């Protein structure tokens, strides 16, 4: 039986990852979250109410990951086989408003978790096998038309959030190389799903369209090109992580390799006006919208993100949920749970 440490398990993607691990393995899971940012205990407790048998396999620790892991905390966590470092502040607008705290949080928490991993790796008979650092497509900056970023392309972050994630990746690379830690990095597209924070684009669309509000769609200055993404359900992201933990070897620097990098990509590209129309169709509402120049209204944002998912496909991973299933499930669940739009 494997022992897993998941940081940020109270977050939106973390909650889905927690549930996916519990549904599909018999592993023991320890969640660490400060619950100070966007982590909510509700995402954990609601799952446990439906699956009370999970309680014996779950430990939840409240800890600010900016602080180092004390010897007492390390002892409390116990032996760990896998680390998934998912905790991060992740909202671009807030990173632009308050870049210092945002960047310091994301860099310091990564250092804390890597130092913890280094302590584990230095122990005799350490069980630590794999460490996954969760990152984003945004570290590569905007994707030109016709180009999907491949693993390991140069970082060109456009805003403090993406810069902080690029910094996390680079620090992980340094620890992988210097200390021979078993680290791999995943870069992921925009995530959708149930229990998402209402500041994100899809919940904002759902709420606005439901009440008949005119929603904002970002485009270029003359409106000839609309922003686009490859959207991915959070459970598909969790499935990809489980796939990597269960069946993919992580390259080690000591063996003369480069660090493992894996793009986790949605099914197909869709622009944000098409997404809004799909939401309106699911809700049975008329879509009212206005196009807004993305850069004037949101400096530091990018119009198009795109990742090449061929590496994971070649390894044999296939997302369990289609995009249309993901979107329909998310919209219907969100409407049935309006408290998550507050």
């Amino acid at each position: 039986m494997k022992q897993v440490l998941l940081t940020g398990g109270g977050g939106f993607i973390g909650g889905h990852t927690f549930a996916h691990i519990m549904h599909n393995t018999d592993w023991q899971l320890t969640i660490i979250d400060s619950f100070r940012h966007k982590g909510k205990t509700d995402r954990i407790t609601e799952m446990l109410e439906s699956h009370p048998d999970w309680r014996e396999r779950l430990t939840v620790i409240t800890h600010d990951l900016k602080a180092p892991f004390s010897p007492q905390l390390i002892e409390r966590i116990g032996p760990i086989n896998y680390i998934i470092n998912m905790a991060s502040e992740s909202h671009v607008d807030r990173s632009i408003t308050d870049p210092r705290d945002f960047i310091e949080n994301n860099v310091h928490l990564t250092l804390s978790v890597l130092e913890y991993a280094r302590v584990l790796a230095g122990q005799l008979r350490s069980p630590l096998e794999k460490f996954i650092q969760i990152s984003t497509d945004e570290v590569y900056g905007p994707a030109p038309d016709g180009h999907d970023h491949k693993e390991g392309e140069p970082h060109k972050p456009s805003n403090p959030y993406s810069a902080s994630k690029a910094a996390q990746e680079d620090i992980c690379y340094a620890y992988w190389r210097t200390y021979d830690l078993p680290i791999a990095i995943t870069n992921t597209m925009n995530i959708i799903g149930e229990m998402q924070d209402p500041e994100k684009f899809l919940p904002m669309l759902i709420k606005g369209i439901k009440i008949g509000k005119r929603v904002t769609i970002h485009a270029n200055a003359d409106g000839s090109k609309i922003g686009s993404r490859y959207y991915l359900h959070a459970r598909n992201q969790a499935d990809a992580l489980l796939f990597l933990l269960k069946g993919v070897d992580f390259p080690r620097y000591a063996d003369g390799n480069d660090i493992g990098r894996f793009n986790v990509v949605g099914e197909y590209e869709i622009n944000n006006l098409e997404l809004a129309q799909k939401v309106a169709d699911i809700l049975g509402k008329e879509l009212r919208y206005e196009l807004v120049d993305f850069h004037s209204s949101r400096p530091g944002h990018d119009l198009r993100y795109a990742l090449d998912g061929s590496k994971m496909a070649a390894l044999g991973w296939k997302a369990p949920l289609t995009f249309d299933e993901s979107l329909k499930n998310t919209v219907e669940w969100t409407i049935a749970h309006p408290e998550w739009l507050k």
Side-chain angles (χ1 to χ4, degrees):
M1 182 186 298
K2 300 296 185 181
Q3 312 279 339
V4 185
L5 177 68
L6 172 64
T7 70
F12 159 54
I13 306 173
H16 282 272
T17 302
F18 146 61
H20 195 73
I21 290 173
M22 290 303 202
H23 273 300
N24 293 282
T25 74
D26 64 351
W27 299 349
Q28 296 280 341
L29 180 65
T30 297
I31 287 174
I32 292 187
D33 201 307
S34 70
F35 300 104
R36 188 169 58 86
H37 300 288
K38 292 297 179 177
K40 292 183 172 69
T41 56
D42 307 79
R43 293 188 175 103
I44 299 170
T45 56
E46 287 193 11
M47 295 288 186
L48 292 177
E49 287 173 5
S50 302
H51 303 277
D53 55 303
W54 289 356
R55 294 180 185 274
E56 62 186 30
R57 293 196 286 132
L58 177 68
T59 300
V60 179
I61 297 174
T62 301
H63 173 71
D64 187 345
L65 288 163
K66 288 170 63 177
F69 285 47
S70 67
Q72 293 77 21
L73 178 59
I74 293 172
E75 182 70 21
R76 182 180 174 193
I77 295 169
I80 290 293
N81 302 101
Y82 303 143
I83 297 173
I84 303 173
N85 189 29
M86 188 171 286
S88 281
E89 284 267 43
S90 64
H91 196 248
V92 175
D93 287 346
R94 282 190 287 105
S95 82
I96 293 171
T97 303
D98 190 9
R100 178 182 292 277
D101 285 349
F102 204 100
I103 291 172
E104 286 181 349
N105 179 79
N106 286 355
V107 168
H108 288 170
L109 74 84
T110 301
L111 279 170
S112 293
V113 181
L114 285 169
E115 280 294 281
Y116 162 69
R118 189 157 73 96
V119 169
L120 288 187
Q123 294 176 350
L124 290 175
R125 296 180 296 279
S126 170
L128 182 63
E129 300 173 39
K130 293 180 178 180
F131 180 121
I132 298 180
Q133 173 66 32
I134 308 302
S135 194
T136 172
D137 53 355
E138 297 187 43
V139 298
Y140 299 120
D145 288 342
H147 178 75
D148 296 347
H149 292 299
K150 292 183 179 293
E151 287 87 350
E153 289 191 16
H155 289 164
K156 296 181 180 179
S158 299
N159 53 67
Y161 161 62
S162 53
S164 75
K165 296 301 289 184
Q168 287 181 338
E169 287 193 27
D170 290 347
I171 296 167
C172 283
Y173 187 92
Y175 272 66
W176 170 83
R177 188 186 189 284
T178 303
Y179 305 113
D180 196 32
L181 294 181
I183 300 171
I185 298 167
T186 64
N187 295 86
T188 307
M189 310 298 301
N190 285 58
I191 305 292
I192 63 172
E194 302 80 0
M195 300 186 295
Q196 190 167 22
D197 194 275
E199 71 184 2
K200 298 295 186 178
F201 182 56
L202 181 55
M204 288 173 64
L205 276 182
I206 295 169
K207 184 175 183 178
I209 293 171
K210 179 178 181 292
I211 63 177
K213 180 181 177 182
R214 189 183 301 275
V215 297
T216 297
I217 306 294
H218 288 110
N220 60 1
D222 64 7
S224 62
K225 184 183 179 192
I226 296 168
S228 65
R229 306 285 188 265
Y230 285 77
Y231 289 94
L232 182 79
H233 193 278
R235 190 60 66 88
N236 287 343
Q237 159 75 340
D239 189 76
L241 299 179
L242 203 54
F243 175 86
L244 292 171
L245 291 176
K246 285 184 170 182
V248 176
D249 292 333
F250 287 7
R252 304 293 286 266
Y253 177 73
D255 298 325
N257 297 303
D258 199 358
I259 194 170
R261 297 180 185 271
F262 305 93
N263 290 342
V264 184
V265 183
E267 186 179 0
Y268 59 84
E269 185 172 2
I270 181 172
N271 74 46
N272 291 333
L273 180 56
E274 293 169 332
L275 178 67
Q277 185 61 62
K278 283 179 175 286
V279 172
D281 291 343
I282 293 169
L283 292 172
K285 298 282 188 178
E286 177 187 359
L287 177 63
R288 302 176 65 243
Y289 70 94
E290 60 178 332
L291 298 181
V292 177
D293 176 20
F294 80 104
H295 186 71
S296 297
S297 64
R298 301 177 82 196
H301 289 69
D302 299 317
L303 198 59
R304 178 179 184 262
Y305 293 119
L307 293 177
D308 184 318
S310 58
K311 182 176 181 178
M312 284 288 286
L315 289 170
W317 181 72
K318 182 175 172 32
L321 290 172
T322 69
F323 171 74
D324 289 326
E325 289 172 334
S326 301
L327 185 62
K328 186 173 186 295
N329 292 347
T330 300
V331 173
E332 291 179 347
W333 185 93
T334 303
I335 293 301
H337 297 81
E339 67 274 15
W340 283 90
L341 289 174
K342 294 182 179 179

